[in-house]
mmCIF file of all heavy atoms in Angstrom:
data_model
loop_
_atom_site.group_PDB
_atom_site.id
_atom_site.type_symbol
_atom_site.label_atom_id
_atom_site.label_comp_id
_atom_site.label_asym_id
_atom_site.label_seq_id
_atom_site.Cartn_x
_atom_site.Cartn_y
_atom_site.Cartn_z
ATOM 1 N N ARG A 282 286.213 85.092 156.595
ATOM 2 C CA ARG A 282 286.555 85.445 155.225
ATOM 3 C C ARG A 282 287.223 86.818 155.210
ATOM 4 O O ARG A 282 286.889 87.669 156.037
ATOM 5 C CB ARG A 282 285.246 85.509 154.432
ATOM 6 C CG ARG A 282 285.415 85.758 152.961
ATOM 7 C CD ARG A 282 284.047 85.951 152.315
ATOM 8 N NE ARG A 282 284.148 85.984 150.868
ATOM 9 C CZ ARG A 282 283.233 86.503 150.071
ATOM 10 N NH1 ARG A 282 282.118 87.016 150.589
ATOM 11 N NH2 ARG A 282 283.388 86.493 148.770
ATOM 12 N N ASN A 283 288.140 87.030 154.266
ATOM 13 C CA ASN A 283 288.672 88.379 154.035
ATOM 14 C C ASN A 283 287.458 89.273 153.735
ATOM 15 O O ASN A 283 286.789 89.084 152.722
ATOM 16 C CB ASN A 283 289.644 88.344 152.847
ATOM 17 C CG ASN A 283 290.091 89.726 152.388
ATOM 18 O OD1 ASN A 283 289.585 90.756 152.856
ATOM 19 N ND2 ASN A 283 291.043 89.750 151.464
ATOM 20 N N PRO A 284 287.146 90.226 154.607
ATOM 21 C CA PRO A 284 285.893 90.977 154.440
ATOM 22 C C PRO A 284 285.840 91.768 153.136
ATOM 23 O O PRO A 284 284.764 92.108 152.649
ATOM 24 C CB PRO A 284 285.874 91.923 155.645
ATOM 25 C CG PRO A 284 287.301 92.006 156.094
ATOM 26 C CD PRO A 284 287.944 90.701 155.740
ATOM 27 N N HIS A 285 287.010 92.025 152.573
ATOM 28 C CA HIS A 285 287.027 92.832 151.344
ATOM 29 C C HIS A 285 286.562 92.047 150.114
ATOM 30 O O HIS A 285 286.167 92.629 149.117
ATOM 31 C CB HIS A 285 288.421 93.402 151.120
ATOM 32 C CG HIS A 285 288.938 94.108 152.336
ATOM 33 N ND1 HIS A 285 288.310 95.201 152.875
ATOM 34 C CD2 HIS A 285 289.993 93.834 153.150
ATOM 35 C CE1 HIS A 285 288.956 95.582 153.965
ATOM 36 N NE2 HIS A 285 289.980 94.779 154.148
ATOM 37 N N MET A 286 286.618 90.702 150.240
ATOM 38 C CA MET A 286 286.199 89.893 149.083
ATOM 39 C C MET A 286 284.729 90.138 148.735
ATOM 40 O O MET A 286 284.348 90.100 147.566
ATOM 41 C CB MET A 286 286.389 88.390 149.376
ATOM 42 C CG MET A 286 287.823 87.935 149.462
ATOM 43 S SD MET A 286 288.796 88.292 147.987
ATOM 44 C CE MET A 286 288.038 87.257 146.763
ATOM 45 N N SER A 287 283.935 90.422 149.765
ATOM 46 C CA SER A 287 282.502 90.604 149.502
ATOM 47 C C SER A 287 282.235 91.941 148.807
ATOM 48 O O SER A 287 281.131 92.200 148.359
ATOM 49 C CB SER A 287 281.720 90.536 150.802
ATOM 50 O OG SER A 287 282.139 91.595 151.633
ATOM 51 N N LYS A 288 283.260 92.780 148.728
ATOM 52 C CA LYS A 288 283.074 94.078 148.073
ATOM 53 C C LYS A 288 283.349 93.998 146.561
ATOM 54 O O LYS A 288 283.131 94.956 145.840
ATOM 55 C CB LYS A 288 284.006 95.105 148.716
ATOM 56 C CG LYS A 288 283.696 95.294 150.199
ATOM 57 C CD LYS A 288 284.776 96.065 150.905
ATOM 58 C CE LYS A 288 284.473 96.129 152.398
ATOM 59 N NZ LYS A 288 285.558 96.720 153.160
ATOM 60 N N LEU A 289 283.852 92.840 146.129
ATOM 61 C CA LEU A 289 284.096 92.658 144.694
ATOM 62 C C LEU A 289 282.810 92.194 144.040
ATOM 63 O O LEU A 289 281.978 91.565 144.690
ATOM 64 C CB LEU A 289 285.134 91.556 144.465
ATOM 65 C CG LEU A 289 286.568 91.821 144.915
ATOM 66 C CD1 LEU A 289 287.360 90.533 144.810
ATOM 67 C CD2 LEU A 289 287.198 92.900 144.052
ATOM 68 N N SER A 290 282.691 92.436 142.738
ATOM 69 C CA SER A 290 281.538 91.850 142.054
ATOM 70 C C SER A 290 281.753 90.336 142.000
ATOM 71 O O SER A 290 282.899 89.857 142.151
ATOM 72 C CB SER A 290 281.376 92.441 140.662
ATOM 73 O OG SER A 290 282.515 92.153 139.921
ATOM 74 N N GLY A 291 280.690 89.584 141.779
ATOM 75 C CA GLY A 291 280.690 88.119 141.891
ATOM 76 C C GLY A 291 281.857 87.440 141.201
ATOM 77 O O GLY A 291 282.497 86.568 141.752
ATOM 78 N N SER A 292 282.146 87.830 139.955
ATOM 79 C CA SER A 292 283.290 87.184 139.298
ATOM 80 C C SER A 292 284.082 88.238 138.543
ATOM 81 O O SER A 292 283.579 89.324 138.249
ATOM 82 C CB SER A 292 282.850 86.056 138.372
ATOM 83 O OG SER A 292 282.004 86.555 137.376
ATOM 84 N N TYR A 293 285.300 87.878 138.233
ATOM 85 C CA TYR A 293 286.166 88.745 137.446
ATOM 86 C C TYR A 293 285.531 88.909 136.050
ATOM 87 O O TYR A 293 284.785 88.056 135.592
ATOM 88 C CB TYR A 293 287.571 88.111 137.384
ATOM 89 C CG TYR A 293 288.572 88.909 136.610
ATOM 90 C CD1 TYR A 293 288.939 90.182 137.010
ATOM 91 C CD2 TYR A 293 289.157 88.385 135.459
ATOM 92 C CE1 TYR A 293 289.856 90.926 136.289
ATOM 93 C CE2 TYR A 293 290.077 89.119 134.729
ATOM 94 C CZ TYR A 293 290.426 90.385 135.147
ATOM 95 O OH TYR A 293 291.328 91.117 134.419
#
Side-chain angles (χ1 to χ4, degrees):
R282 185 186 189 200
N283 171 353
H285 308 299
M286 291 303 294
S287 63
K288 298 168 185 173
L289 293 171
S290 61
S292 60
Y293 180 62

